[in-house]
């Protein structure tokens, strides 16, 4: 799966609960925290798409 596809999914099957788990498991710092209620962005330049 390309990196862009992996970053569009969440560890909660597509339902973001802002648990920050994606930040903890991403080894490439590709997750950008936008703040409460704004969820996250993903920097595809850093993401390797580890299937999360």
């Amino acid at each position: 799966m390309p990196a862009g596809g992996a970053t569009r999914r969440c560890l909660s099957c597509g339902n973001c609960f802002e648990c920050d788990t994606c930040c903890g498991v991403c080894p490439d710092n590709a997750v950008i925290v936008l703040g409460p209620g704004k969820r996250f962005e993903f920097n595809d330049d850093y993401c390797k798409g580890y299937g999360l």
Side-chain angles (χ1 to χ4, degrees), residues 21-45:
T21 301
C22 54
C23 297
V25 299
C26 179
D28 299 310
N29 297 318
V31 182
I32 303 162
V33 180
L34 299 177
K38 297 180 182 176
R39 300 189 179 175
F40 307 91
E41 282 187 2
F42 299 93
N43 186 336
D44 287 336
D45 293 333

Side-chain angles (χ1 to χ4, degrees), residues 1-17:
M1 171 182 299
T7 61
R8 289 183 186 34
R9 291 187 296 147
C10 174
L11 297 172
S12 299
C13 301
N15 297 311
C16 179
F17 299 106

